Amino acid sequence: MTEAAKKKESVLQGGIWTMVSKIFTQLAQFAIFMVAVRLMTPAEFGIFALAAAVIVILTQVSTAGWPEYIMQWHGGRARIRETLSVAMICGFTIAVIGVLGGGFAARVFSDPSVGPLVQILSISVFFTSVGAAYNGVMVWQNRLTGAAMVTLLADLANLIVAIWALLQGYGVLALAWGRLVSAVIWSTSGAVVSRTGPSMVQHETLADTAAFSWKIILTRIVVNVRIYAATLIIGGFLGATSVGYFRAAQRIVAAFEEIVSEPTRILSWNLFRRSRDAQDGPAGFGALALRFFPVLYYGAVPLFIGVIIMADTLTAGILGPGWEAATPVLRILAIAALIRCSGHASLAILTLAGQVWLLPWVTALYSGIAIAAVLAAASFGITAIAMAEVIAATIAFVINAVVMKRYAGIAWQTILLKTWAVLPAVALACVPVVLAERFDLLSGVNDLIRFILLGLCMMAVFAPAIVVLDKSLWAMLRDRKNARAPAAKGAERSA
C-alpha cells in the first residue's frame, strides 16, 4: 500500500471513530440525564445549571485556543511541547480562581452543596484544558483514531462515575464528580497516546500563542453571547414556558448537530493542514473542498432529514407527553442546523489559510444577524423565532461562502452542484418512514426505539443509493480497495 493510500485510509478510519465517539458522548450524556431526572429535584438542577454556566465561561478562557494553535502548527515538535506547558499554566490559574470563587460562593449561598460543586468543577477545568491541548496534539500527529478512543474512554468514565454517585445519593455533586474523573482520564490518556510531554516555555512561544489565542477566545465569547442573548430575549417576550419548549427542542437538535460538528472539525483540521503543508499554502483548498464537503453532506443531510420527518416521534420518545409544542420548533431548528453544518469547518480553513484575524469579526457579524433576527420575530412566538434561526443561518451561509471564495479559493456553487446526488438518495431513504406511517408499522414500539429503527432503515437505503448515484464516490471506494490489494499480496508473498 502506498503512503498516500495509508493516509487516506487512516483519515477515513479516524473520521469514523470520531463520529462513533461523538455518538457515544451524546448517548452517555442522555443516560446520565435520564437517571438524574429521576433522582434529583428541580432545585438541584437549577444549582448545577448555575454553576455549570460559570464553569463553561472559565473553561472557554482556560482552553483559549491551545488545541487550534497546535493543530495549525507546521514547525518542529518543540513548539508543541512548550504549548502544552502554556495550556497547563493557564488551566491551573483559572482553576485556582474557580476554587477560590467556590469558597466565596459557599459563604453567600445557603445551600451547602454550592461551594464544593463549584470547586470540583473548577478543578476539572485544569484537566479539561490539558486534555483539549493533548487532543490537538493527537490531531497534529494524525492520530485521529487514538483521539477518538481517548474521548470514548473519558465519556465511559463519566457515565460510570456519575450514575454510580447518583445512585449512592450524592445528588448534584455526582454530576461534578463524573465530569472531574472524565477530564482527568481525558488528559492523562492523551498524554499516554501522544507520547508528548511539556517542556520549558520560551518567550517567543508565549508571545506567539498569546497573539493567536485571543482571537479564538474572543470568537468563543461572541458565540456564547449569541446563545445566551437568544434565551434572554425569548424569556423576556414570551415567558419561561416558551423558553422551556424552545430550549428542549434546541437541546435535541444540538445533540445531532454535535455528531456532525466534531468529525467535521477534526477532519477539516487534519485534511486541510495536510493540503496546506503539501502546497505550502491554501492553493489546494478548493480541490480538497470538492471532495470534503459533498461527503459531509452525505452524512448530514439524511441525519437531519430524519429528525425533521420524525420530529413528533423523537419529541415523544425523549421529552414525553406534554411537550408536543416543541415538535414544530424541533423541525425548523433541524433545518437551521443542516444549513449551518458546513460552517463547522470554517475555523480550521480560515486559520490554516492564514486568516485567523477574520474569525472574531465574522463570528460577531453572524451573532449580530442571529440576535437581530430573533428580536424581530420574538413577539410572534417560538415557531417564528425558530424560522428566524433558519433565516440567520442562510444569511451566514451566504456570507461564509463569499469569505471562503475570497480567502481560501473554495467555490460553493461548484460544491453544491457536485452534491446533487444527495437529493434523490435522501428521497429514496424517506420511503421506509412513509411506509411505516402508512401501514402503522412499529406502532407498539417505544418512540425512541422506533426513531432509531426507522433511522437505520433510512441509512440502509441511502448508503447504496448515494454510492450508485455519485460515480466519483464509487471510484474513490474502488481506488481504496485496489490500493489494499497489492499490499495484501505482498504480505502473502512475505509469509
Side-chain angles (χ1 to χ4, degrees):
M1 186 186 298
T2 65
E3 189 64 28
K6 287 180 180 178
K7 285 184 177 180
K8 287 182 180 179
E9 184 173 356
S10 175
V11 169
L12 179 61
Q13 180 182 352
I16 292 172
W17 276 110
T18 300
M19 180 170 288
V20 168
S21 71
K22 204 61 187 176
I23 292 173
F24 182 79
T25 297
Q26 296 302 320
L27 292 175
Q29 291 178 355
F30 180 72
I32 294 170
F33 171 77
M34 292 300 292
V35 174
V37 78
R38 287 162 174 78
L39 299 176
M40 293 172 59
T41 66
E44 288 178 309
F45 270 118
I47 291 170
F48 182 79
L50 180 62
V54 175
I55 298 304
V56 164
I57 297 173
L58 292 178
T59 303
Q60 295 296 324
V61 177
S62 175
T63 53
W66 314 131
E68 289 80 7
Y69 180 84
I70 291 170
M71 288 186 288
Q72 64 84 43
W73 180 249
H74 54 90
R77 188 164 175 259
R79 177 63 63 87
I80 301 297
R81 297 181 62 195
E82 292 177 39
T83 307
L84 284 172
S85 298
V86 175
M88 291 179 179
I89 294 169
C90 185
F92 180 79
T93 303
I94 298 299
V96 169
I97 294 172
V99 170
L100 295 175
F104 175 76
R107 295 183 176 89
V108 174
F109 295 93
S110 58
D111 193 307
S113 64
V114 172
L117 174 63
V118 173
Q119 290 175 332
I120 295 170
L121 290 174
S122 297
I123 295 171
S124 72
V125 169
F126 168 74
F127 294 100
T128 299
S129 179
V130 177
Y134 271 116
N135 185 263
V137 173
M138 287 183 284
V139 174
W140 182 78
Q141 295 174 332
N142 298 320
R143 296 176 182 264
L144 302 184
T145 302
M149 292 297 184
V150 167
T151 303
L152 274 170
L153 183 61
D155 288 330
L156 179 61
N158 184 21
L159 177 67
I160 294 172
V161 172
I163 290 181
W164 175 84
L166 283 167
L167 295 175
Q168 294 300 313
Y170 285 95
V172 69
L173 294 179
L175 303 180
W177 284 117
R179 288 195 180 190
L180 175 58
V181 172
S182 174
V184 170
I185 291 179
W186 193 35
S187 57
T188 54
S189 299
V192 171
V193 172
S194 66
R195 298 178 182 178
T196 304
S199 64
M200 186 68 68
V201 183
Q202 303 298 321
H203 177 73
E204 180 185 354
T205 301
L206 191 60
D208 196 31
T209 53
F212 178 91
S213 66
W214 78 265
K215 304 178 183 71
I216 302 295
I217 191 171
L218 184 58
T219 301
R220 290 175 178 173
I221 290 174
V222 170
V223 169
N224 279 289
V225 166
R226 182 187 72 82
I227 294 172
Y228 290 113
T231 301
L232 292 174
I233 290 169
I234 295 170
F237 277 86
L238 303 173
T241 302
S242 295
V243 172
Y245 287 132
F246 192 88
R247 289 291 294 169
Q250 198 174 46
R251 183 64 190 90
I252 293 173
V253 172
F256 288 94
E257 192 168 7
E258 287 180 24
I259 293 173
V260 174
S261 66
E262 189 63 13
T264 301
R265 185 184 72 86
I266 295 295
L267 291 175
S268 60
W269 276 106
N270 187 277
L271 293 172
F272 284 93
R273 178 173 58 81
R274 289 182 179 182
S275 174
R276 182 204 60 183
D277 293 346
Q279 301 282 342
D280 196 25
F285 282 13
L288 177 57
L290 288 175
R291 300 192 303 273
F292 179 83
F293 286 108
V295 174
L296 167 61
Y297 281 124
Y298 295 160
V301 171
L303 178 67
F304 287 113
I305 293 298
V307 173
I308 292 167
I309 64 177
M310 293 187 286
D312 52 350
T313 302
L314 191 58
T315 302
I318 294 180
L319 301 178
W323 289 87
E324 290 80 9
T327 300
V329 178
L330 176 60
R331 283 197 172 99
I332 298 170
L333 290 179
I335 297 173
L338 177 57
I339 296 171
R340 285 195 302 264
C341 69
S342 62
H344 298 300
S346 298
L347 175 62
I349 293 173
L350 287 177
T351 301
L352 293 169
Q355 306 297 331
V356 69
W357 65 273
L358 268 173
L359 291 175
W361 304 106
V362 171
T363 306
L365 177 60
Y366 295 163
S367 298
I369 292 170
I371 292 172
V374 170
L375 274 172
S379 59
F380 298 99
I382 55 176
T383 303
I385 292 173
M387 284 301 302
E389 292 274 4
V390 174
I391 294 171
T394 303
I395 296 173
F397 175 85
V398 174
I399 295 173
N400 190 56
V402 174
V403 171
M404 290 295 170
K405 175 64 176 177
R406 179 172 180 179
Y407 293 101
I410 295 175
W412 267 102
Q413 302 94 321
T414 307
I415 292 171
L416 294 177
L417 288 173
K418 186 178 175 60
T419 318
W420 68 270
V422 76
L423 298 178
V426 81
L428 289 172
C430 291
V431 172
V433 181
V434 175
L435 293 176
E437 292 290 337
R438 175 69 178 80
F439 296 103
D440 200 24
L441 302 176
L442 302 174
S443 57
V445 179
N446 175 273
D447 287 308
L448 192 56
I449 296 176
R450 184 171 186 267
F451 173 81
I452 294 172
L453 291 175
L454 290 176
L456 292 174
C457 291
M458 287 184 66
M459 292 308 301
V461 175
F462 180 84
I466 199 66
V467 170
V468 170
L469 291 169
D470 188 344
K471 303 300 182 184
S472 64
L473 186 62
W474 175 254
M476 185 166 54
L477 293 173
R478 187 174 62 248
D479 289 343
R480 288 187 67 250
K481 181 179 179 181
N482 293 337
R484 281 201 299 260
K489 290 180 180 178
E492 289 176 3
R493 292 192 192 98
S494 299

